[in-house]
């Protein structure tokens, strides 16, 4: 079973409520769900849609063609009718006209009879669930959970009316459901909370705001100081203050906000105060495409900040990865006293996926904080590893902690000495050498030793995985390396597979093939073909499949 | 004096007002009985901002203009630390102007001492946001063409609950102000007139000395209108003392779990606590 539905209309028409009820109901039926929301940077009007895919297999991308189009306006029919399969259906209220074979339903009429125009989408939901053969009680349960009693009752009536409007075409097997349904921003925030983050601050910026929202919503429950700062300059400086004072601290934004954090990123490098930050990318330059997706900040994340200092950059591949990598980011930041930068994007941030519930039992929190000292405390004690023992200010009587953005001596005091300067640079960079030893190699999917080697990173994972698996099923020797840890850049597996690979195909959601340039620089390997996309829309699995097939 | 706040050799010019401010700060901490590990001095960049290097307490010497954000982060993470910001007029009112406005709005419990020498000392004598209109500087060789910032009036309009002015040339008076500011629950601003003997040949020690006067005993520092008048008095006479002081709910008071609970830094971390959030996604 692999079905796709698009619901489209104008901003403000309640599509998100429909989408979340539909997604949750399908999940409860025991299916995997992947949903992507395509929205404009406006609050009312325009054209927005959700593409929701349901499958018995695990999925992480949408398809090009769809089975059901639920149109809330004529524009939706115009924009999406070509995607509807021959066997598919276009559903709309009687009042909506369009040059297509539309199954008109009495949605507004029924809503009028119920004296509640707000439930029109729920009537549509009922009709569609009936069409799919979903038992009404599953959706009823979801509605009861999502709304307060009064609103739930109105929607339950609407749902039942909707069930009367259509005949069943499918008969879904109801399977056991043990999954969760989560998007990338939620997974990151959840990871941060699980990791013991007690300070999160940010300035609203699409598509990163979901993280700030989630943290704020759970702040009281988990004793997290959440602050909406005056600007992103304040954000990272403030997070560094909180971390210096001893709590796990994080901040996040999208590219423009991250740009404002760059000076403080460099500060984090020299003061050696651990911090986690995330850039939920959207297409730039500048304001760019505020609500859309791209992977064009990779080089920026790796190089941002004046001067030379160690950092780690981790690209998040899917919601599950986002959760575990966020936790790991906190541990690594505190192991090396460095900034750890997570890269996500709108596609991952807003994409909703079904996943097995996350495992909280095996999470370990490693802080590397000294609670006592034997000798005089020096913030920047020179050690073989380059990592200086860390204490928390105020916790040890007689010991004080001085951090300094100027070049400093072991105590943290300003120095003008060339000799100390050299030692401090070496100390900081030694940490990077050590870090290289613990980075994870990219995931390998498909053939163990493929002739056609696809390389990609971050959230293109879902589409590339599906495309590669389909091509492999056709007997093609193909595999893909999906990079998560991306700075320091892991080269082992790539070098090994390169020996056998005839063709290296780079798939990225940007215009300048930034991963390809990294590979050339770090592994002295050049990809043979680049498949790039930078229209702001995520790759579908079909598109990756087609474009790889063209170049094989 | 005990030597618990060990002092280091400063690189300030001989005769600089910063020496007196350091002496006053040390005395204030001493008299309040605050131990070195219980206080953090946060600063940006500039001559004033070198303070963390010249007195042995915890120190966060961050970026130019960015002293307030880490100070706020520190206080939120550990409410038990005394947090003091030492900064210059350029650091606070220029590069850090936005943070200044929003720190006041938050009313978080920190004491903010601005060494106001009405000039950029460290970068060799350019105009600062408080340099007077028309004053000739190393950069504004034909005179400053913009209005100066009026920091105390600005703080009052933003709703600051503690606004004061001190003079580095009157150490005992300054110690008193510093102690009041540190003890005050909330954001406390003390703008400290500080001669820069090298780069500001207008606002010299005697220029200040001839102008400053103490607010009289009868002065009502809870009267905002009066305070505003005093805040704008900066010509032949310059009032020093606490211009305005009222009690206000602080930022951290508004977080129940911080107000009632332990400092965030003292919380035990347990990943399993978060497992219940899974239910939201089922
Ligand atoms: C981002 C940035 N811009 C500029 C500077 C250069 N700079 C350092 S201190 C300073 C001005 C200092 O003036 P003030 O804050 O009044 O301190 P003072 O030296 O007078 O005590 C400037 C412009 C810097 N360090 N960082
Ligand atoms: S330049 Fe001015 S402010 Fe700086 S140390 Fe010298 S006298 Fe003081
Ligand atoms: Mg100055």
């Amino acid at each position: 079973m692999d079905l796709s539905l698009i619901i489209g209309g104008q901003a403000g028409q309640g599509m998100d409520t429909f989408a979340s009820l539909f997604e949750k109901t399908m999940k409860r039926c025991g299916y995997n769900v992947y949903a992507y929301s395509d929205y404009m940077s406006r609050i009312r009007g325009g054209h927005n849609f959700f593409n929701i895919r349901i499958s018995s297999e695990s999925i992480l991308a949408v398809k090009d063609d769809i089975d059901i189009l639920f149109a809330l306006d004529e524009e939706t029919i115009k924009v999406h009718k070509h995607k509807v399969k021959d066997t598919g259906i276009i559903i709309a209220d009687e009042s909506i006209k369009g040059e297509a074979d539309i199954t008109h339903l009495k949605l507004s009429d029924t809503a009028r009879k119920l004296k509640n125009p707000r439930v029109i989408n729920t009537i549509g939901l009922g009709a569609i669930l009936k069409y799919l053969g979903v038992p009404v009680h599953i959706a009823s349960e979801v509605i009861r959970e999502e709304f307060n009693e009064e609103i739930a009752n109105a929607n339950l009536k609407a749902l039942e009316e909707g069930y009367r409007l259509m005949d069943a075409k499918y008969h879904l097997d109801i399977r056991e459901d043990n999954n969760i349904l989560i998007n990338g921003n939620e997974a990151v925030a959840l990871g941060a909370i699980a990791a013991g983050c007690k300070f999160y601050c940010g300035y609203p910026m699409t598509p990163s705001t979901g993280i700030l929202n989630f943290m704020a919503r759970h702040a009281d429950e988990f004793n997290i100081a959440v602050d909406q700062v005056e600007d992103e300059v304040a954000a990272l400086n403030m997070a560094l203050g909180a971390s210096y004072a001893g709590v796990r601290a994080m901040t996040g934004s999208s590219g423009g906000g991250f740009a404002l954090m760059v000076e403080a990123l460099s500060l984090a490098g020299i003061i050696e105060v651990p911090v986690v930050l995330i850039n939920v990318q959207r297409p730039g330059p500048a304001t760019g495409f505020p609500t859309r997706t791209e992977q064009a900040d990779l080089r920026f994340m790796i190089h941002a900040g004046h001067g030379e200092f160690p950092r780690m950059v981790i690209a998040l591949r899917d919601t599950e990865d986002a959760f575990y990598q966020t936790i790991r980011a906190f541990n690594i930041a505190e192991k090396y006293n460095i900034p750890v930068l997570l890269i996500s994007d709108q596609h991952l941030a807003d994409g909703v996926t079904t996943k097995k519930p996350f495992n909280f039992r095996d999470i370990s929190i490693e802080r590397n904080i000294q609670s006592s000292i034997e000798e005089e405390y020096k913030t920047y004690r020179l050690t073989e590893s380059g990592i200086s023992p860390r204490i928390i200010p105020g916790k040890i009587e007689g010991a004080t902690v001085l951090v300094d953005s100027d070049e400093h001596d072991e105590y943290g005091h300003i120095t003008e000495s060339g000799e100390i300067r050299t030692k401090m640079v070496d100390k900081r960079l030694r940490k990077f050498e050590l870090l290289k030893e613990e980075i994870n190699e990219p995931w390998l999917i498909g053939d163990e030793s493929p002739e056609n080697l696809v390389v990609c990173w971050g959230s293109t994972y879902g589409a590339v995985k599906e495309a590669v698996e389909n091509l492999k099923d056709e007997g093609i020797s193909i595999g893909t390396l999906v990079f998560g840890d991306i700075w320091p850049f892991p080269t082992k597996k790539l070098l090994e597979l390169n020996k056998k690979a005839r063709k290296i195909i780079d798939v990225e959601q940007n215009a300048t093939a930034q991963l390809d340039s990294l590979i050339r620089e770090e592994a002295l390997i050049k990809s043979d073909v680049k498949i790039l996309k930078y229209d702001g829309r995520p790759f579908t699995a079909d598109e990756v499949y087609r474009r790889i097939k063209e170049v094989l | 004096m005990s030597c618990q706040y060990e002092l280091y050799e400063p690189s300030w010019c001989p005769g600089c007002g910063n020496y007196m401010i350091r002496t006053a700060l040390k005395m204030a901490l001493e008299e309040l009985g605050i131990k070195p590990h219980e206080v953090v001095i946060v600063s940006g960049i500039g001559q004033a901002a070198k303070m963390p290097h010249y007195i042995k307490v915890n120190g966060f010497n961050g970026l130019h203009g960015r002293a307030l954000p880490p100070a706020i982060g520190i206080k939120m993470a550990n409410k038990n630390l005394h947090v003091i910001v030492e900064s210059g007029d350029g650091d606070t009112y220029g590069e850090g102007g936005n943070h200044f406005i929003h720190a006041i709005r938050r009313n978080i419990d920190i004491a903010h001492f601005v060494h106001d020498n009405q000039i950029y000392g460290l970068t060799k004598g350019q105009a600062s946001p408080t340099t007077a209109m028309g004053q000739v500087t190393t950069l504004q060789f034909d005179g400053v063409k913009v209005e100066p910032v009026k920091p105390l009036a600005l703080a009052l309009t933003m709703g600051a609950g503690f606004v004061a002015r001190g003079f580095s040339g009157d150490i005992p008076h300054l110690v008193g102000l510093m102690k009041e500011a540190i003890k005050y629950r909330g954001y406390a601003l003390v703008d400290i007139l500080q001669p820069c003997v090298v780069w500001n040949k207008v606002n010299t020690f005697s220029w200040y000395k001839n102008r400053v006067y103490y607010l009289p005993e009868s002065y009502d520092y809870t009267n905002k209108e009066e305070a505003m008048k005093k805040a704008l008095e900066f010509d032949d006479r310059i009032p020093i003392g606490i211009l305005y002081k009222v009690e206000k709910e602080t930022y951290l008071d508004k977080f129940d779990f911080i107000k009632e609970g332990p400092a965030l830094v003292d919380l035990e971390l347990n990943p399993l606590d978060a497992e219940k959030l899974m239910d939201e996604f089922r």
Side-chain angles (χ1 to χ4, degrees):
Chain A
M1 211 277 295
D2 196 338
L3 269 172
S4 291
L5 169 145
I6 284 181
I7 174 175
Q10 299 180 12
Q13 279 196 298
M15 280 168 286
D16 31 4
T17 310
F18 173 95
S20 69
L21 294 176
F22 182 68
E23 289 156 11
K24 211 152 218 179
T25 304
M26 298 316 295
K27 180 190 96 71
R28 294 284 173 83
C29 293
Y31 288 88
N32 291 300
V33 175
Y34 178 81
Y36 175 72
S37 55
D38 187 299
Y39 55 104
M40 292 183 168
S41 187
R42 56 194 286 175
I43 306 303
R44 292 278 181 271
H47 175 68
N48 290 2
F49 67 94
F50 280 82
N51 187 331
I52 305 167
R53 183 175 167 201
I54 307 136
S55 172
S56 32
E57 305 299 314
S58 98
I59 41 166
L60 290 168
V62 292
K63 304 271 293 173
D64 279 351
D65 48 9
I66 59 171
D67 299 279
I68 302 170
L69 177 62
F70 181 24
L72 304 186
D73 64 357
E74 290 180 23
E75 178 74 6
T76 301
I77 295 175
K78 237 185 269 162
V79 176
H80 300 284
K81 65 178 180 195
H82 68 279
K83 298 180 188 168
V84 182
K85 292 180 194 163
D86 293 344
T87 52
I89 185 172
I90 301 176
I91 296 172
D93 181 54
E94 294 171 308
S95 62
I96 293 166
K97 305 279 170 280
E99 282 169 34
D101 180 10
I102 304 170
T103 303
H104 280 118
L105 300 180
K106 288 184 180 308
L107 299 175
S108 48
D109 193 49
T110 312
R112 229 176 342 248
K113 275 185 202 140
L114 292 172
K115 295 192 178 61
N116 190 348
R118 290 239 204 84
V119 296
I120 187 160
N121 290 353
T122 311
I123 300 168
L125 176 70
I128 290 166
L129 292 175
K130 172 74 170 300
Y131 180 74
L132 294 174
V134 174
V136 68
H137 71 88
I138 299 183
S140 307
E141 199 180 290
V142 172
I143 286 175
R144 261 186 238 108
E145 288 168 20
E146 296 288 306
F147 301 114
N148 70 33
E149 203 177 324
E150 192 189 336
I151 298 177
N153 285 338
N155 279 281
L156 288 172
K157 250 191 237 139
L159 184 77
E160 277 166 32
E161 289 299 324
Y163 264 77
R164 295 207 184 101
L165 298 181
M166 288 275 281
D167 295 326
K169 171 170 175 184
Y170 297 87
H171 180 77
L172 278 197
D173 290 334
I174 305 304
R175 302 141 36 117
E176 199 184 324
D177 165 42
N178 294 315
N179 283 336
I180 56 166
L181 192 63
I182 194 166
N183 73 29
N185 274 346
E186 290 163 341
V188 167
L190 198 58
I193 294 175
C197 174
K198 294 294 172 211
F199 183 91
Y200 187 92
C201 65
Y203 186 90
M205 186 168 187
T206 306
S208 68
T209 313
I211 302 173
L212 183 57
N213 283 342
F214 192 91
M215 298 302 281
R217 206 145 46 77
H218 295 288
D220 288 356
E221 196 181 346
F222 292 94
N223 297 20
I224 305 165
V226 176
D227 193 287
Q228 180 183 328
V229 283
E230 57 269 29
D231 54 35
E232 293 85 347
V233 177
L236 185 51
N237 280 289
M238 209 179 275
L240 286 170
S243 175
Y244 161 83
V247 303
R248 290 193 147 186
M250 177 170 176
T251 179
S253 188
S254 186
F258 176 69
L260 291 185
M261 296 182 189
V262 169
E263 191 193 18
L265 180 64
S266 176
L267 175 68
I270 196 166
I271 63 178
E272 302 190 49
V273 168
V275 74
V276 176
L277 69 89
I278 184 162
N279 174 358
V280 184
Q281 300 165 104
R282 70 193 211 186
T287 309
F289 243 170
T291 61
R292 309 209 171 271
T293 201
E294 196 160 89
Q295 299 184 303
D297 293 347
L298 177 60
R299 281 292 196 175
F300 181 38
M301 300 284 284
I302 290 172
H303 301 295
H306 49 300
E308 297 166 310
F309 58 92
R311 83 191 69 195
M312 180 165 188
V313 183
I314 305 174
L316 306 179
R317 292 166 283 201
D318 70 357
T319 48
E320 189 179 6
D321 194 44
F323 175 75
Y324 293 111
Q325 294 298 1
T326 302
I327 296 164
R328 179 166 163 255
F330 279 97
N331 285 340
I332 290 179
E334 288 198 318
K335 179 168 177 186
Y336 297 94
N337 298 327
I338 55 167
V340 178
L341 283 58
L342 302 172
I343 320 185
S344 173
D345 52 32
Q346 186 268 335
H347 172 226
L348 172 58
D350 293 331
V352 177
T353 57
T354 38
K355 284 283 175 190
K356 298 237 146 9
F358 301 145
N359 177 357
F360 288 74
R361 255 147 239 288
D362 296 342
I363 296 172
S364 66
I365 292 182
E366 295 142 27
R367 301 215 54 191
N368 297 303
I369 292 169
Q370 237 87 336
S371 51
S372 63
I373 45 171
E374 268 140 41
E375 43 194 345
E376 187 189 18
Y377 184 70
K378 298 178 184 170
T379 315
Y380 303 106
R381 187 177 290 281
L382 291 167
T383 60
E384 207 177 314
S385 64
I387 302 169
S388 311
R390 175 173 175 221
I391 66 167
I392 300 304
K395 291 294 161 200
I396 301 175
E397 176 136 19
T400 52
V401 184
L402 175 62
V403 296
D404 184 15
S405 74
D406 298 273
E407 189 56 274
H408 41 246
D409 61 17
E410 285 186 274
Y411 293 95
H413 284 300
I414 300 179
T415 181
E416 299 280 350
S417 153
E419 193 188 331
I420 296 177
R421 156 73 182 175
T422 307
K423 280 192 177 144
M424 283 295 160
V425 172
D426 290 342
K427 160 199 167 23
R428 292 190 286 265
L429 295 183
R430 275 205 298 283
K431 300 194 294 184
F432 191 63
E433 292 309 308
L434 204 61
L435 176 62
K436 284 181 183 169
E437 288 169 26
E438 81 165 81
I439 52 170
N440 293 334
E441 290 295 317
W443 292 340
L444 173 59
I445 287 150
D447 273 336
E448 290 288 304
S449 181
E451 281 178 25
N452 297 289
L453 177 61
V454 179
V455 290
C456 64
W457 63 280
S459 82
T460 50
Y461 162 59
V464 172
K465 172 177 184 280
E466 190 173 332
V468 164
E469 282 171 347
N470 288 342
L471 288 161
K472 183 173 178 253
D473 288 347
E474 292 173 17
I476 295 164
S477 169
I478 190 165
T480 181
L481 286 178
V482 188
F483 287 84
D485 285 9
I486 205 153
W487 192 261
F489 189 75
T491 54
K492 235 181 260 153
K493 219 155 185 174
L494 177 65
L495 288 170
E496 183 190 308
L497 295 189
N498 181 52
K499 284 186 206 137
K500 181 85 187 292
R502 277 194 304 108
K503 192 176 275 175
I504 295 188
I505 304 164
D506 173 51
V507 178
E508 290 185 71
Q509 193 100 39
N510 60 47
T512 55
Q514 301 187 21
L515 174 65
D516 170 65
S517 74
L518 252 191
I519 288 174
R520 264 185 281 165
E521 194 175 295
E522 297 291 316
L524 301 176
I525 292 172
K526 196 170 167 298
S527 57
D528 301 285
V529 189
K530 298 180 195 86
I531 297 179
L532 306 173
K533 182 175 167 77
Y534 40 90
D535 60 358
R537 276 74 182 168
F539 272 118
T540 63
D542 299 323
E543 184 177 356
V544 178
Y545 170 91
R546 242 183 302 114
R547 290 180 67 179
I548 293 181
K549 196 130 193 199
E550 280 166 18
V551 299
L552 287 180
Chain B
M1 256 182 229
S2 89
C3 60
Q4 62 170 335
Y5 315 98
E6 193 183 322
L7 300 178
Y8 302 91
E9 189 58 44
S11 60
W12 291 319
C13 313
C16 174
N18 282 327
Y19 287 95
M20 281 76 111
I21 298 176
R22 180 179 70 153
T23 306
L25 177 63
K26 190 183 154 207
M27 286 169 70
L29 291 172
E30 198 97 46
E31 289 174 24
L32 289 172
I34 297 170
K35 298 194 183 118
H37 75 285
E38 294 168 342
V39 56
V40 187
I41 295 182
V42 186
S43 71
I45 296 295
Q47 298 287 27
K50 288 180 183 169
M51 190 65 89
H53 297 284
Y54 304 149
I55 176 164
K56 191 173 167 73
V57 296
N58 293 301
F60 187 114
N61 185 178
L63 296 167
H64 183 48
R66 317 298 168 200
L68 283 165
I72 292 165
I74 291 166
K75 190 70 190 180
M76 290 181 89
N78 186 355
K79 62 177 179 177
N80 298 325
L81 286 171
H82 295 278
V83 180
I84 297 171
V85 172
E86 290 282 340
S87 173
D89 41 332
D91 207 31
T92 289
Y93 309 135
E95 190 94 14
N98 201 27
H99 309 310
F100 175 53
I101 289 172
H102 294 278
I104 298 171
R105 289 180 55 218
R106 281 192 188 87
N107 193 35
I108 193 162
D109 189 8
I110 56 185
H112 188 180
F113 303 147
V114 181
H115 306 205
D116 189 353
N117 53 10
Q118 301 184 257
I119 205 79
Y120 280 7
L122 189 62
T123 48
K124 305 194 175 174
Q126 304 84 359
S128 90
T130 53
T131 308
M133 178 94 93
Q135 186 166 325
V136 172
T137 75
T138 56
L139 182 68
Q140 287 76 16
F141 52 84
D142 53 350
V144 172
K145 298 186 179 72
V146 292
E147 278 285 344
V149 165
K150 286 110 187 140
L152 301 187
L154 178 59
L156 285 169
T157 60
M158 292 310 304
F162 186 110
V163 177
R165 173 162 273 147
F167 173 42
S168 66
D170 188 339
I171 293 177
H173 181 257
L174 185 55
V175 171
L177 289 182
M178 285 179 159
K179 281 165 65 180
E180 287 300 314
I182 293 169
K183 282 194 301 194
Y184 178 73
R185 286 191 84 253
Y187 171 81
L189 173 69
V190 186
D191 183 81
I192 305 167
L193 306 171
Q194 172 237 326
C196 165
V197 296
V198 177
W199 302 113
N200 193 335
K201 305 290 190 198
V202 176
N203 311 105
T204 60
F205 180 84
S206 54
W207 190 92
Y208 289 122
K209 184 80 187 155
N210 292 336
R211 283 169 174 76
V212 296
Y213 72 95
Y214 301 124
L215 288 168
E217 286 274 318
S218 59
Y219 177 77
D220 175 11
Y221 55 67
T222 64
N223 183 332
K224 201 160 182 173
E225 261 170 61
E226 276 306 303
M228 193 52 113
K229 277 188 212 147
K230 295 292 172 197
L232 292 170
E233 200 178 318
F234 201 93
D235 35 50
D236 294 343
R237 280 164 61 77
I238 304 172
I240 57 171
I242 296 174
L243 275 67
Y244 188 64
K245 183 181 158 189
V246 288
E247 274 180 36
K248 288 181 71 176
E249 197 182 25
T250 74
Y251 190 49
L252 296 186
D253 288 343
K254 293 177 182 137
F255 295 79
D256 282 344
F257 60 90
I258 297 181
K259 190 179 177 195
E260 316 290 344
L264 300 185
V265 66
D266 296 326
L267 294 169
E268 293 275 342
L269 305 186
N270 183 359
L272 281 175
D273 291 346
E275 192 168 18
K276 59 173 179 262
L277 289 175
M278 281 284 89
D279 290 341
E280 230 181 84
F281 302 100
R282 281 184 210 273

